[in-house]
Amino acid sequence: MLLLLVGPLAVVLALSLTDYQLGAETLAFIGLDNYVAMAGDRVFWKSLRNTALYSLAVVPGSVGLGLAAALLIHSAARGQAVYRAVLFLPVMATLIAMALVWEFMLHPGFGLVNLSLKSVGLAPHNWLNDESLALWVLAVIGIWQGFGFNMVLFSAGLLGIPRPLYEAAAIDGVPAGWARFSLVTWPMLAPVTLFVLVVTTIKSFQVFDTVQVLTKGGPNKATEVLVYTLYAEGFEFFRSGYASAVTVVFLAIVMLISVVKTRWLDRRVHYMSRVRPLLAEGARHAGLLALAVFALLPFAWMLSTASKPETEVYSDVLHWLPQRFALLDNFQAAFAKAPLLRLLANGVIVTACIFGLQLLVALPAAYALAKLDFRGRDTLMAAVLLGMLVPQHAVAVPVFLLLHTAGLLDSYAALILPWTLSVFGIFLLRQFFKTVPNDLIDAARIDGLSELAIVWRVMLPTAWPAVTAFAIFSVVAHWNDYFWPLIVINSPEFLTPPLGVAQFRNQEAGTNYGVLMAAAIVVIAPLLIAFALAQRRFVEGITFTGIK
């Protein structure tokens, strides 16, 4: 934590008081000049405003849809696993690849949205180039990508509610439906609701991928957000001192919002009971089908486009099925024009190494925090919780400088080593370990096992549901990561799947969307298959860890 979290944060604060430029051999102390310049910078204030507006749209949208989906799935008599898997697909899919799908869906001449509007007699629109709409379009993509994650967390919370509470309510004469929901379910969901709101808010303030790929902050700074400003100042204009000042303000805002939400909601969330009644079975499935269409629509359009020859892709008439099936041709063209197998291999190497190192650190740390009594334990746990609030972007500049000094940029080490520590993994496993009976540990000690042996031979075998959940969180985060590889990688042989797909799009003169959609399918397929195989254990792991 000192090397990868506390130290870099201290360096960020120190650099914010200097005129340091990335690559320079000298720097000068300038006090608060960067903050003064920031106060008068219209771009900074516009990016702050845009970030706030984006968050105000994405947080209630993704949390509300996530809760609604979880309730509908939980109350459905059949098809729960199928609905849960379908609605979680946008979370698993590589966001950069899906952003390119959305780009084509919103194409002013040949996209699904405008062709649909044209088919009902409405005028098409240039969605991503309209200053008044571009930010809200990105917010819709953010809701689409995030609500499935919240759905799984709420589902875990619902599974963790003891059945005797409902039985007691029934005995007391509380009718089924919204009354029983408001008196039993909603108060019991309070902890997970608080967790979901805080996590969703932090994630919304970190929006970068869709902005960088689809709009680059335009048009006319209408979609410029804080993380994009941080990236542009630090790694395009090389004004590292000013970028560090932006980072300090960004981090302060994130932590302030998190603290305010936690303290305010912790007192009030138990009393929020204005919810709609549970629906009849047919209405439940109608609602779930509508959410499924929203989740699957970009995937369906991606597959439809990948199946068409180029002449049909750029047709001004809406048709889903190709007149000439060209899926295999587009796959062959994608593999010929981009090193897709190398991208996939890099993704596997990077994510597997990161997860292995994170598990190596998180397991003994979580065990110590959960089961050992030592001086400073509560302080360390508080540091872990505080570390969960620190976005990766906040330490990007000092960690980049550390790797540069060590000569590790543009390598697998640059992609892997900064993520050795996962404070979220420590928290998740610690929550699970607290549920393991102490008698089991005492028996292991009596048998002569050391504390480390207990970690690997006793705790790890019992923690597979939590480890599976952590594995999915870790692999999804780092397989789909675009910000960090964009900064530290230049050589084609080290490109990760998101970075490779983005550069593949840039190499295509005029962008052949059929070939590009085929490449996107190849990149997102491994995660979708992995989740389909591990879905049940993932939900179990979230339930058992106590996040609920």
Side-chain angles (χ1 to χ4, degrees), residues 327-404:
L327 182 62
L328 294 179
D329 294 339
N330 285 330
F331 273 126
Q332 290 174 354
F335 277 97
K337 295 183 179 181
L340 293 180
L341 291 179
R342 184 57 186 261
L343 296 180
L344 295 177
N346 287 343
V348 171
I349 292 170
V350 170
T351 54
C353 290
I354 288 176
F355 175 65
L357 290 173
Q358 288 179 339
L359 199 61
L360 192 66
V361 173
L363 275 169
Y367 171 73
L369 291 172
K371 294 300 183 181
L372 301 184
D373 187 13
F374 58 93
R375 181 178 299 178
R377 183 184 67 175
D378 293 341
T379 302
L380 285 175
M381 188 61 209
V384 168
L385 294 175
L386 185 64
M388 290 176 61
L389 302 180
V390 179
Q392 61 164 329
H393 316 88
V395 296
V397 172
V399 173
F400 178 91
L401 295 175
L402 178 64
L403 293 171
H404 172 70

Side-chain angles (χ1 to χ4, degrees), residues 292-359:
V293 169
F294 178 54
L296 289 176
L297 191 61
F299 294 98
W301 188 246
M302 174 178 62
L303 183 60
S304 173
T305 304
S307 302
K308 298 174 184 176
E310 188 172 5
T311 53
E312 293 185 42
V313 168
Y314 296 106
S315 170
D316 59 356
V317 178
L318 177 61
H319 62 282
W320 285 90
L321 298 178
Q323 296 174 357
R324 182 175 73 82
F325 190 73
L327 182 62
L328 294 179
D329 294 339
N330 285 330
F331 273 126
Q332 290 174 354
F335 277 97
K337 295 183 179 181
L340 293 180
L341 291 179
R342 184 57 186 261
L343 296 180
L344 295 177
N346 287 343
V348 171
I349 292 170
V350 170
T351 54
C353 290
I354 288 176
F355 175 65
L357 290 173
Q358 288 179 339
L359 199 61

Side-chain angles (χ1 to χ4, degrees), residues 69-341:
L71 291 172
L72 291 171
I73 290 173
H74 189 71
S75 60
R78 61 186 63 182
Q80 292 186 357
V82 174
Y83 283 125
R84 190 179 294 117
V86 167
L87 299 186
F88 199 71
L89 287 180
V91 182
M92 298 296 296
T94 303
L95 183 56
I96 291 301
M98 297 312 298
L100 299 177
V101 176
W102 278 94
E103 179 185 54
F104 187 54
M105 287 177 62
L106 298 167
H107 192 284
F110 312 105
L112 172 64
V113 176
N114 281 329
L115 290 179
S116 299
L117 292 176
K118 181 181 177 181
S119 67
V120 294
L122 298 177
H125 204 81
N126 197 346
W127 301 96
L128 293 174
N129 285 314
D130 188 324
E131 290 185 35
S132 63
L133 293 177
L135 185 67
W136 306 114
V137 171
L138 296 183
V140 170
I141 298 175
I143 293 171
W144 171 84
Q145 197 268 337
F147 85 94
F149 178 81
N150 296 333
M151 175 268 298
V152 168
L153 294 179
F154 280 122
S155 295
L158 290 169
L159 290 173
I161 298 176
R163 297 304 305 174
L165 292 178
Y166 291 106
E167 295 169 2
I171 293 173
D172 289 341
V174 178
W178 78 269
R180 196 173 300 177
F181 177 87
S182 63
L183 291 174
V184 179
T185 308
W186 188 234
M188 294 299 294
L189 282 179
V192 74
T193 302
L194 176 60
F195 182 81
V196 167
L197 282 169
V198 172
V199 169
T200 305
T201 301
I202 294 174
K203 288 175 66 177
S204 70
F205 264 72
Q206 297 176 41
V207 58
F208 173 77
D209 294 7
T210 50
V211 173
Q212 206 279 334
V213 171
L214 297 182
T215 65
K216 296 192 181 299
N220 193 27
K221 306 295 183 181
T223 60
E224 178 104 1
V225 290
L226 280 174
V227 174
Y228 188 82
T229 300
L230 185 161
Y231 164 78
E233 293 291 344
F235 299 99
E236 288 186 348
F237 307 140
F238 306 123
R239 299 171 59 194
S240 298
Y242 185 79
S244 297
V246 174
T247 302
V248 171
V249 173
F250 166 66
L251 185 59
I253 292 172
V254 168
M255 289 194 168
L256 178 62
I257 291 175
S258 301
V259 170
V260 170
K261 275 183 175 290
T262 301
R263 299 190 66 177
W264 185 78
L265 286 171
D266 197 35
R267 295 194 299 267
R268 291 168 172 80
V269 72
H270 295 271
Y271 307 106
M272 298 165 62
S273 59
R274 291 182 177 273
V275 294
R276 296 185 65 183
L278 298 180
L279 304 177
E281 189 68 13
R284 292 190 190 105
H285 285 285
L288 286 169
L289 286 173
L291 290 173
V293 169
F294 178 54
L296 289 176
L297 191 61
F299 294 98
W301 188 246
M302 174 178 62
L303 183 60
S304 173
T305 304
S307 302
K308 298 174 184 176
E310 188 172 5
T311 53
E312 293 185 42
V313 168
Y314 296 106
S315 170
D316 59 356
V317 178
L318 177 61
H319 62 282
W320 285 90
L321 298 178
Q323 296 174 357
R324 182 175 73 82
F325 190 73
L327 182 62
L328 294 179
D329 294 339
N330 285 330
F331 273 126
Q332 290 174 354
F335 277 97
K337 295 183 179 181
L340 293 180
L341 291 179

